[in-house]
Amino acid sequence: MDKQVVGILGGGQLGRMFIEAANRMNVTVRVLDPTSQSPAKQLSSFAKHIDEPFTSSTAIQELATGCDVLTVEIEHVNCDELEKIEQQGLALVRPSSSTIRMIQDKFLQKEYLARHDLPLPEYTRCDTLDEAKRAGKAFGFPFVLKSRLGAYDGRGNYVVKSEADVETGFKLLGGKMQYAEKFVPFVKELAVMVVRRPGGEVATYPVVETIQRDNICELVYAPAQIDGQVRKVAMKVATDAVSCLPDGSVGIFGVEMFLHEDGHTVLVNEIAPRPHNSGHYTIEACNTSQYENHLRAVLDMPLGDTNLKVPAAAMINVLGGTDGYSSVLEPCLASLEVPGATVHLYGKTEAKAGRKMGHITVVADCFLQLRRRVDLIAGRLANASD
Ligand code: ATP
Ligand code: MG
Ligand code: MG
């Protein structure tokens, strides 16, 4: 396995943690990212990286020429070029260009999942303002307008509060390529990582609870504190969502879900075709991390055990604040004194407000102990951003 070279489109923190796992197994990873000292590139000086946009045709060709397998840490990539690589047989593309193309368009993704009978919030296509207005009438208010392409951290979403608000939202999202979703009155957001090998074998990680603030994941608890029946349903929904994807859907996938306020209905929000923020905890808390299992899957190696190896774990995102880098370092330093805490810093120098700068994983013997440890760290985070 250590003769193979993997190329990754995107060189942020997900690529960085992927390389951390690959380095341990002596697999070379080459990174395509416009930033020469990107978080991922910093972890391997021996590999030949490319400093170009991960949408550039020539750069993708160059990367494929030197690699056995191409993969992604972001879904907003140039799928036409990846498809050419597949047709030319220059490198394997995992997950395949057609899977990424379908998932990167959140409306096509919804259509695909609906065709495969996955439970979803009600949704409808909105190419025009009139269609968006009709969606408001059908779904009631609030409802959510979503950009089909390029969405992340909620930046392509607009919660429409009233009929008068429809036009503002529709225009704010660019006036085209949108869809509308009924607002889901959820009590919890859940997520599950699922890894899939060529041939279709899947392995499913535990159900976790994710807590978003301003559409950005702030906190993850593993395992989610839900009853056994909901856990079973969420595991099945996530496993089905990844199993129903087309052939060539190889690698790790993050399945985001809503637990409805009725207490038992689980709906799929979206799938990410890559390592996911809600799976960072697997590095310290599971027998095989999401990153190592992604590597194993794309290289068609046996998948590793996805079970928790600790009773409870949490992940706290460290975001840039108004005080620059000191608001990042202060809680990290403080958490060094918290038993069970592990600090991850991504090597980003500019701590812009809201930017993901690092995360802290905490493991514990029970949920009560975990909550105490999380509160200690969250308190320091809150102070740092005051
Ligand atoms: P990501 O960074 O996860 O890719 P995104 O930009 O694709 O995010 P979504 O996952 O669609 O955005 O939505 C972001 C958050 O907005 C969700 O985690 C949830 O908290 C809220 N949200 C999205 N859709 C709905 C809905 N239909 N009803 C209620 N809340 C919603
Ligand atoms: Mg998304
Ligand atoms: Mg999301």
Side-chain angles (χ1 to χ4, degrees):
M1 61 189 164
D2 60 359
K3 291 280 186 298
Q4 303 213 55
V5 180
V6 178
I8 186 162
L9 278 68
Q13 65 269 15
L14 302 175
R16 182 181 174 103
M17 290 179 266
F18 177 65
I19 292 183
E20 211 169 46
N23 278 351
R24 207 176 48 247
M25 293 171 86
N26 201 31
V27 173
T28 302
V29 179
R30 291 181 61 187
V31 178
L32 168 59
D33 190 280
T35 308
S36 64
Q37 289 297 316
S38 79
K41 289 177 188 171
Q42 291 169 19
L43 284 214
S44 82
S45 55
F46 56 90
K48 203 164 162 279
H49 304 304
I50 304 174
D51 301 341
E52 296 285 343
F54 39 78
T55 44
S56 153
S57 303
T58 46
I60 294 174
Q61 283 278 336
E62 185 188 339
L63 184 70
T65 309
C67 293
D68 301 288
V69 183
L70 294 191
T71 191
V72 299
E73 63 133 40
I74 180 167
E75 56 272 36
H76 310 302
V77 291
N78 181 341
C79 289
D80 290 341
E81 204 53 44
L82 288 177
E83 192 179 343
K84 272 192 219 151
I85 304 291
E86 288 164 337
Q87 284 161 354
Q88 293 164 338
L90 218 48
L92 297 167
V93 180
R94 290 178 164 162
S96 68
S97 64
S98 59
T99 297
I100 301 172
R101 194 192 297 282
M102 179 265 287
I103 289 178
Q104 72 179 191
D105 182 330
K106 290 169 79 177
F107 177 73
L108 292 184
Q109 184 193 138
K110 282 258 155 36
E111 294 275 272
Y112 187 91
L113 295 174
R115 275 202 304 281
H116 289 81
D117 296 326
L118 269 297
L120 301 169
E122 276 184 65
Y123 69 95
T124 185
R125 184 183 188 123
C126 290
D127 289 326
T128 62
L129 180 58
D130 272 352
E131 282 174 321
K133 286 182 176 162
R134 274 204 291 280
K137 286 208 172 71
F139 294 160
F141 298 95
F143 78 99
V144 192
L145 268 178
K146 294 193 175 186
S147 291
R148 289 174 60 167
L149 294 169
Y152 70 100
D153 289 344
R155 286 178 202 212
N157 290 358
Y158 186 89
V159 179
V160 184
K161 294 182 188 63
S162 67
E163 206 168 333
D165 200 22
V166 177
E167 188 166 352
T168 312
F170 190 76
K171 285 193 175 148
L172 214 71
L173 297 184
K176 58 179 179 34
M177 290 293 282
Q178 296 168 31
Y179 69 103
E181 237 174 70
K182 199 163 178 172
F183 192 87
V184 181
F186 60 80
V187 282
K188 278 183 199 294
E189 287 189 79
L190 305 174
V192 173
M193 300 307 304
V194 183
V195 62
R196 180 165 147 177
R197 236 184 129 171
E201 179 198 342
V202 297
T204 304
Y205 280 89
V207 183
V208 303
E209 176 178 358
T210 67
I211 298 168
Q212 271 59 237
R213 194 200 316 194
D214 298 333
N215 291 299
I216 299 179
C217 177
E218 183 175 55
L219 197 55
V220 171
Y221 283 113
Q225 301 299 290
I226 48 178
D227 73 50
Q229 184 55 26
V230 173
R231 186 182 315 285
K232 248 171 77 181
V233 173
M235 287 289 274
K236 178 167 170 18
V237 167
T239 307
D240 287 352
V242 174
S243 299
C244 82
L245 295 176
D247 286 349
S249 300
V250 173
I252 191 98
F253 294 84
V255 184
E256 299 176 8
M257 291 167 285
F258 299 117
L259 172 58
H260 192 275
E261 66 181 7
D262 69 12
H264 57 85
T265 304
V266 174
L267 303 171
V268 176
N269 173 26
E270 61 168 345
I271 300 180
R274 53 170 169 78
H276 193 253
N277 202 160
S278 73
H280 290 349
Y281 78 95
T282 60
I283 298 175
E284 286 83 15
C286 292
N287 286 317
T288 315
S289 78
Q290 64 164 346
Y291 300 99
E292 180 170 333
N293 255 339
H294 183 59
L295 182 72
R296 292 190 192 204
V298 301
L299 293 180
D300 198 11
M301 296 191 289
L303 299 178
D305 181 9
T306 51
N307 282 303
L308 281 166
K309 61 182 176 191
V310 292
M315 189 282 318
I316 305 163
N317 262 340
V318 179
L319 303 178
T322 41
D323 288 345
Y325 212 73
S326 65
S327 62
V328 171
L329 274 189
E330 210 273 339
C332 290
L333 284 172
S335 68
L336 295 180
E337 293 183 42
V338 177
T342 304
V343 172
H344 294 250
L345 282 167
Y346 303 151
K348 299 178 186 177
T349 43
E350 222 188 316
K352 279 184 275 190
R355 191 175 192 206
K356 288 174 181 161
M357 301 298 292
H359 73 264
I360 299 161
T361 305
V362 193
V363 299
D365 294 331
C366 67
F367 203 73
L368 268 179
Q369 186 185 54
L370 183 75
R371 285 300 289 263
R372 274 204 297 275
R373 292 176 177 181
V374 167
D375 286 347
L376 275 175
I377 297 167
R380 298 300 283 258
L381 270 169
N383 288 343
S385 60
D386 276 349

PDB file of all heavy atoms in Angstrom, residues 86-110:
ATOM      1  N   GLU A  86     -11.363  10.103 -15.464  1.00  0.00           N
ATOM      2  CA  GLU A  86     -11.907   8.735 -15.427  1.00  0.00           C
ATOM      3  C   GLU A  86     -11.914   8.132 -16.823  1.00  0.00           C
ATOM      4  O   GLU A  86     -11.515   6.983 -17.027  1.00  0.00           O
ATOM      5  CB  GLU A  86     -13.353   8.745 -14.872  1.00  0.00           C
ATOM      6  CG  GLU A  86     -13.423   9.019 -13.387  1.00  0.00           C
ATOM      7  CD  GLU A  86     -14.827   9.421 -12.924  1.00  0.00           C
ATOM      8  OE1 GLU A  86     -15.631   9.902 -13.753  1.00  0.00           O
ATOM      9  OE2 GLU A  86     -15.101   9.270 -11.723  1.00  0.00           O
ATOM     10  N   GLN A  87     -12.363   8.938 -17.823  1.00  0.00           N
ATOM     11  CA  GLN A  87     -12.452   8.419 -19.191  1.00  0.00           C
ATOM     12  C   GLN A  87     -11.075   8.099 -19.753  1.00  0.00           C
ATOM     13  O   GLN A  87     -10.890   7.112 -20.464  1.00  0.00           O
ATOM     14  CB  GLN A  87     -13.176   9.421 -20.087  1.00  0.00           C
ATOM     15  CG  GLN A  87     -14.677   9.411 -19.854  1.00  0.00           C
ATOM     16  CD  GLN A  87     -15.363  10.663 -20.370  1.00  0.00           C
ATOM     17  OE1 GLN A  87     -14.711  11.606 -20.819  1.00  0.00           O
ATOM     18  NE2 GLN A  87     -16.685  10.687 -20.293  1.00  0.00           N
ATOM     19  N   GLN A  88     -10.096   8.949 -19.396  1.00  0.00           N
ATOM     20  CA  GLN A  88      -8.730   8.711 -19.903  1.00  0.00           C
ATOM     21  C   GLN A  88      -8.048   7.579 -19.135  1.00  0.00           C
ATOM     22  O   GLN A  88      -6.985   7.106 -19.540  1.00  0.00           O
ATOM     23  CB  GLN A  88      -7.883   9.992 -19.724  1.00  0.00           C
ATOM     24  CG  GLN A  88      -8.315  11.165 -20.574  1.00  0.00           C
ATOM     25  CD  GLN A  88      -7.716  12.477 -20.068  1.00  0.00           C
ATOM     26  OE1 GLN A  88      -7.329  12.597 -18.905  1.00  0.00           O
ATOM     27  NE2 GLN A  88      -7.642  13.468 -20.932  1.00  0.00           N
ATOM     28  N   GLY A  89      -8.626   7.203 -18.001  1.00  0.00           N
ATOM     29  CA  GLY A  89      -8.004   6.160 -17.179  1.00  0.00           C
ATOM     30  C   GLY A  89      -6.701   6.625 -16.538  1.00  0.00           C
ATOM     31  O   GLY A  89      -5.835   5.831 -16.199  1.00  0.00           O
ATOM     32  N   LEU A  90      -6.601   7.947 -16.366  1.00  0.00           N
ATOM     33  CA  LEU A  90      -5.359   8.528 -15.838  1.00  0.00           C
ATOM     34  C   LEU A  90      -5.174   8.192 -14.355  1.00  0.00           C
ATOM     35  O   LEU A  90      -4.068   7.971 -13.877  1.00  0.00           O
ATOM     36  CB  LEU A  90      -5.441  10.052 -16.023  1.00  0.00           C
ATOM     37  CG  LEU A  90      -4.191  10.802 -16.403  1.00  0.00           C
ATOM     38  CD1 LEU A  90      -3.462  10.146 -17.559  1.00  0.00           C
ATOM     39  CD2 LEU A  90      -4.551  12.252 -16.773  1.00  0.00           C
ATOM     40  N   ALA A  91      -6.275   8.170 -13.626  1.00  0.00           N
ATOM     41  CA  ALA A  91      -6.254   7.799 -12.201  1.00  0.00           C
ATOM     42  C   ALA A  91      -7.675   7.405 -11.828  1.00  0.00           C
ATOM     43  O   ALA A  91      -8.629   7.775 -12.513  1.00  0.00           O
ATOM     44  CB  ALA A  91      -5.806   8.993 -11.350  1.00  0.00           C
ATOM     45  N   LEU A  92      -7.809   6.648 -10.727  1.00  0.00           N
ATOM     46  CA  LEU A  92      -9.154   6.360 -10.217  1.00  0.00           C
ATOM     47  C   LEU A  92      -9.666   7.617  -9.530  1.00  0.00           C
ATOM     48  O   LEU A  92      -8.877   8.365  -8.931  1.00  0.00           O
ATOM     49  CB  LEU A  92      -9.092   5.215  -9.200  1.00  0.00           C
ATOM     50  CG  LEU A  92      -8.618   3.872  -9.749  1.00  0.00           C
ATOM     51  CD1 LEU A  92      -8.300   2.911  -8.609  1.00  0.00           C
ATOM     52  CD2 LEU A  92      -9.695   3.297 -10.673  1.00  0.00           C
ATOM     53  N   VAL A  93     -10.959   7.878  -9.626  1.00  0.00           N
ATOM     54  CA  VAL A  93     -11.533   9.035  -8.933  1.00  0.00           C
ATOM     55  C   VAL A  93     -12.516   8.504  -7.900  1.00  0.00           C
ATOM     56  O   VAL A  93     -13.511   7.857  -8.241  1.00  0.00           O
ATOM     57  CB  VAL A  93     -12.217  10.003  -9.915  1.00  0.00           C
ATOM     58  CG1 VAL A  93     -12.813  11.194  -9.169  1.00  0.00           C
ATOM     59  CG2 VAL A  93     -11.235  10.471 -10.980  1.00  0.00           C
ATOM     60  N   ARG A  94     -12.228   8.729  -6.609  1.00  0.00           N
ATOM     61  CA  ARG A  94     -13.039   8.149  -5.538  1.00  0.00           C
ATOM     62  C   ARG A  94     -13.360   9.198  -4.491  1.00  0.00           C
ATOM     63  O   ARG A  94     -12.436   9.712  -3.892  1.00  0.00           O
ATOM     64  CB  ARG A  94     -12.287   6.968  -4.921  1.00  0.00           C
ATOM     65  CG  ARG A  94     -12.241   5.817  -5.899  1.00  0.00           C
ATOM     66  CD  ARG A  94     -11.485   4.648  -5.364  1.00  0.00           C
ATOM     67  NE  ARG A  94     -11.795   3.456  -6.167  1.00  0.00           N
ATOM     68  CZ  ARG A  94     -11.058   2.365  -6.178  1.00  0.00           C
ATOM     69  NH1 ARG A  94      -9.983   2.288  -5.430  1.00  0.00           N
ATOM     70  NH2 ARG A  94     -11.404   1.328  -6.911  1.00  0.00           N
ATOM     71  N   PRO A  95     -14.644   9.535  -4.223  1.00  0.00           N
ATOM     72  CA  PRO A  95     -15.794   9.043  -4.962  1.00  0.00           C
ATOM     73  C   PRO A  95     -15.787   9.536  -6.407  1.00  0.00           C
ATOM     74  O   PRO A  95     -15.123  10.513  -6.732  1.00  0.00           O
ATOM     75  CB  PRO A  95     -16.990   9.606  -4.190  1.00  0.00           C
ATOM     76  CG  PRO A  95     -16.453  10.696  -3.334  1.00  0.00           C
ATOM     77  CD  PRO A  95     -15.026  10.441  -3.115  1.00  0.00           C
ATOM     78  N   SER A  96     -16.583   8.856  -7.266  1.00  0.00           N
ATOM     79  CA  SER A  96     -16.558   9.139  -8.698  1.00  0.00           C
ATOM     80  C   SER A  96     -17.099  10.526  -9.005  1.00  0.00           C
ATOM     81  O   SER A  96     -17.843  11.121  -8.210  1.00  0.00           O
ATOM     82  CB  SER A  96     -17.415   8.108  -9.431  1.00  0.00           C
ATOM     83  OG  SER A  96     -18.768   8.325  -9.088  1.00  0.00           O
ATOM     84  N   SER A  97     -16.751  11.022 -10.197  1.00  0.00           N
ATOM     85  CA  SER A  97     -17.200  12.364 -10.598  1.00  0.00           C
ATOM     86  C   SER A  97     -18.733  12.438 -10.622  1.00  0.00           C
ATOM     87  O   SER A  97     -19.308  13.471 -10.267  1.00  0.00           O
ATOM     88  CB  SER A  97     -16.639  12.718 -11.971  1.00  0.00           C
ATOM     89  OG  SER A  97     -17.159  11.836 -12.944  1.00  0.00           O
ATOM     90  N   SER A  98     -19.396  11.341 -11.028  1.00  0.00           N
ATOM     91  CA  SER A  98     -20.864  11.425 -11.125  1.00  0.00           C
ATOM     92  C   SER A  98     -21.497  11.501  -9.736  1.00  0.00           C
ATOM     93  O   SER A  98     -22.506  12.183  -9.545  1.00  0.00           O
ATOM     94  CB  SER A  98     -21.428  10.264 -11.940  1.00  0.00           C
ATOM     95  OG  SER A  98     -21.073   9.049 -11.332  1.00  0.00           O
ATOM     96  N   THR A  99     -20.912  10.821  -8.752  1.00  0.00           N
ATOM     97  CA  THR A  99     -21.423  10.933  -7.377  1.00  0.00           C
ATOM     98  C   THR A  99     -21.220  12.350  -6.850  1.00  0.00           C
ATOM     99  O   THR A  99     -22.134  12.953  -6.279  1.00  0.00           O
ATOM    100  CB  THR A  99     -20.694   9.926  -6.449  1.00  0.00           C
ATOM    101  OG1 THR A  99     -20.993   8.614  -6.909  1.00  0.00           O
ATOM    102  CG2 THR A  99     -21.132  10.077  -5.011  1.00  0.00           C
ATOM    103  N   ILE A 100     -20.027  12.900  -7.049  1.00  0.00           N
ATOM    104  CA  ILE A 100     -19.755  14.267  -6.548  1.00  0.00           C
ATOM    105  C   ILE A 100     -20.673  15.266  -7.253  1.00  0.00           C
ATOM    106  O   ILE A 100     -21.230  16.163  -6.625  1.00  0.00           O
ATOM    107  CB  ILE A 100     -18.272  14.660  -6.738  1.00  0.00           C
ATOM    108  CG1 ILE A 100     -17.360  13.679  -5.991  1.00  0.00           C
ATOM    109  CG2 ILE A 100     -18.017  16.090  -6.236  1.00  0.00           C
ATOM    110  CD1 ILE A 100     -15.877  13.857  -6.279  1.00  0.00           C
ATOM    111  N   ARG A 101     -20.869  15.078  -8.571  1.00  0.00           N
ATOM    112  CA  ARG A 101     -21.715  15.996  -9.346  1.00  0.00           C
ATOM    113  C   ARG A 101     -23.149  16.004  -8.801  1.00  0.00           C
ATOM    114  O   ARG A 101     -23.767  17.047  -8.645  1.00  0.00           O
ATOM    115  CB  ARG A 101     -21.732  15.573 -10.822  1.00  0.00           C
ATOM    116  CG  ARG A 101     -22.288  16.639 -11.759  1.00  0.00           C
ATOM    117  CD  ARG A 101     -22.551  16.070 -13.135  1.00  0.00           C
ATOM    118  NE  ARG A 101     -21.382  15.592 -13.841  1.00  0.00           N
ATOM    119  CZ  ARG A 101     -20.489  16.375 -14.458  1.00  0.00           C
ATOM    120  NH1 ARG A 101     -20.639  17.674 -14.438  1.00  0.00           N
ATOM    121  NH2 ARG A 101     -19.461  15.854 -15.085  1.00  0.00           N
ATOM    122  N   MET A 102     -23.650  14.838  -8.476  1.00  0.00           N
ATOM    123  CA  MET A 102     -25.022  14.742  -7.965  1.00  0.00           C
ATOM    124  C   MET A 102     -25.107  15.351  -6.549  1.00  0.00           C
ATOM    125  O   MET A 102     -26.033  16.099  -6.249  1.00  0.00           O
ATOM    126  CB  MET A 102     -25.447  13.271  -7.966  1.00  0.00           C
ATOM    127  CG  MET A 102     -26.835  12.986  -7.450  1.00  0.00           C
ATOM    128  SD  MET A 102     -26.802  12.561  -5.730  1.00  0.00           S
ATOM    129  CE  MET A 102     -26.104  10.913  -5.818  1.00  0.00           C
ATOM    130  N   ILE A 103     -24.113  15.088  -5.715  1.00  0.00           N
ATOM    131  CA  ILE A 103     -24.186  15.577  -4.326  1.00  0.00           C
ATOM    132  C   ILE A 103     -23.936  17.089  -4.256  1.00  0.00           C
ATOM    133  O   ILE A 103     -24.543  17.788  -3.444  1.00  0.00           O
ATOM    134  CB  ILE A 103     -23.207  14.793  -3.420  1.00  0.00           C
ATOM    135  CG1 ILE A 103     -23.742  13.357  -3.215  1.00  0.00           C
ATOM    136  CG2 ILE A 103     -22.995  15.494  -2.081  1.00  0.00           C
ATOM    137  CD1 ILE A 103     -22.878  12.458  -2.380  1.00  0.00           C
ATOM    138  N   GLN A 104     -23.033  17.598  -5.123  1.00  0.00           N
ATOM    139  CA  GLN A 104     -22.686  19.032  -5.023  1.00  0.00           C
ATOM    140  C   GLN A 104     -23.881  19.924  -5.392  1.00  0.00           C
ATOM    141  O   GLN A 104     -23.941  21.077  -4.970  1.00  0.00           O
ATOM    142  CB  GLN A 104     -21.445  19.383  -5.854  1.00  0.00           C
ATOM    143  CG  GLN A 104     -21.671  19.375  -7.327  1.00  0.00           C
ATOM    144  CD  GLN A 104     -20.449  19.752  -8.166  1.00  0.00           C
ATOM    145  OE1 GLN A 104     -20.574  19.969  -9.339  1.00  0.00           O
ATOM    146  NE2 GLN A 104     -19.261  19.823  -7.611  1.00  0.00           N
ATOM    147  N   ASP A 105     -24.829  19.398  -6.150  1.00  0.00           N
ATOM    148  CA  ASP A 105     -26.061  20.134  -6.441  1.00  0.00           C
ATOM    149  C   ASP A 105     -27.118  19.627  -5.447  1.00  0.00           C
ATOM    150  O   ASP A 105     -27.662  18.528  -5.603  1.00  0.00           O
ATOM    151  CB  ASP A 105     -26.487  19.865  -7.890  1.00  0.00           C
ATOM    152  CG  ASP A 105     -27.749  20.639  -8.268  1.00  0.00           C
ATOM    153  OD1 ASP A 105     -28.583  20.894  -7.372  1.00  0.00           O
ATOM    154  OD2 ASP A 105     -27.896  20.973  -9.451  1.00  0.00           O
ATOM    155  N   LYS A 106     -27.379  20.436  -4.408  1.00  0.00           N
ATOM    156  CA  LYS A 106     -28.211  19.938  -3.299  1.00  0.00           C
ATOM    157  C   LYS A 106     -29.627  19.570  -3.747  1.00  0.00           C
ATOM    158  O   LYS A 106     -30.283  18.754  -3.122  1.00  0.00           O
ATOM    159  CB  LYS A 106     -28.243  20.981  -2.171  1.00  0.00           C
ATOM    160  CG  LYS A 106     -26.896  21.087  -1.450  1.00  0.00           C
ATOM    161  CD  LYS A 106     -26.813  22.289  -0.522  1.00  0.00           C
ATOM    162  CE  LYS A 106     -27.509  22.058   0.782  1.00  0.00           C
ATOM    163  NZ  LYS A 106     -27.321  23.248   1.688  1.00  0.00           N
ATOM    164  N   PHE A 107     -30.087  20.166  -4.860  1.00  0.00           N
ATOM    165  CA  PHE A 107     -31.410  19.795  -5.362  1.00  0.00           C
ATOM    166  C   PHE A 107     -31.353  18.415  -6.039  1.00  0.00           C
ATOM    167  O   PHE A 107     -32.205  17.551  -5.784  1.00  0.00           O
ATOM    168  CB  PHE A 107     -31.944  20.857  -6.334  1.00  0.00           C
ATOM    169  CG  PHE A 107     -33.276  20.491  -6.923  1.00  0.00           C
ATOM    170  CD1 PHE A 107     -34.430  20.539  -6.157  1.00  0.00           C
ATOM    171  CD2 PHE A 107     -33.380  20.059  -8.248  1.00  0.00           C
ATOM    172  CE1 PHE A 107     -35.667  20.174  -6.688  1.00  0.00           C
ATOM    173  CE2 PHE A 107     -34.612  19.695  -8.789  1.00  0.00           C
ATOM    174  CZ  PHE A 107     -35.742  19.750  -8.000  1.00  0.00           C
ATOM    175  N   LEU A 108     -30.346  18.194  -6.880  1.00  0.00           N
ATOM    176  CA  LEU A 108     -30.209  16.870  -7.517  1.00  0.00           C
ATOM    177  C   LEU A 108     -30.021  15.784  -6.453  1.00  0.00           C
ATOM    178  O   LEU A 108     -30.530  14.669  -6.582  1.00  0.00           O
ATOM    179  CB  LEU A 108     -29.018  16.852  -8.488  1.00  0.00           C
ATOM    180  CG  LEU A 108     -29.135  17.707  -9.744  1.00  0.00           C
ATOM    181  CD1 LEU A 108     -27.918  17.493 -10.649  1.00  0.00           C
ATOM    182  CD2 LEU A 108     -30.429  17.386 -10.508  1.00  0.00           C
ATOM    183  N   GLN A 109     -29.295  16.134  -5.396  1.00  0.00           N
ATOM    184  CA  GLN A 109     -29.089  15.192  -4.291  1.00  0.00           C
ATOM    185  C   GLN A 109     -30.431  14.805  -3.660  1.00  0.00           C
ATOM    186  O   GLN A 109     -30.718  13.631  -3.421  1.00  0.00           O
ATOM    187  CB  GLN A 109     -28.165  15.847  -3.247  1.00  0.00           C
ATOM    188  CG  GLN A 109     -27.800  14.966  -2.104  1.00  0.00           C
ATOM    189  CD  GLN A 109     -27.151  15.732  -0.943  1.00  0.00           C
ATOM    190  OE1 GLN A 109     -27.460  15.484   0.200  1.00  0.00           O
ATOM    191  NE2 GLN A 109     -26.244  16.651  -1.223  1.00  0.00           N
ATOM    192  N   LYS A 110     -31.266  15.840  -3.428  1.00  0.00           N
ATOM    193  CA  LYS A 110     -32.596  15.583  -2.837  1.00  0.00           C
ATOM    194  C   LYS A 110     -33.415  14.680  -3.761  1.00  0.00           C
ATOM    195  O   LYS A 110     -34.064  13.740  -3.306  1.00  0.00           O
ATOM    196  CB  LYS A 110     -33.350  16.912  -2.649  1.00  0.00           C
ATOM    197  CG  LYS A 110     -32.884  17.696  -1.434  1.00  0.00           C
ATOM    198  CD  LYS A 110     -33.863  17.533  -0.301  1.00  0.00           C
ATOM    199  CE  LYS A 110     -33.317  17.717   1.079  1.00  0.00           C
ATOM    200  NZ  LYS A 110     -32.306  18.683   1.356  1.00  0.00           N
TER     201      LYS A 110
END
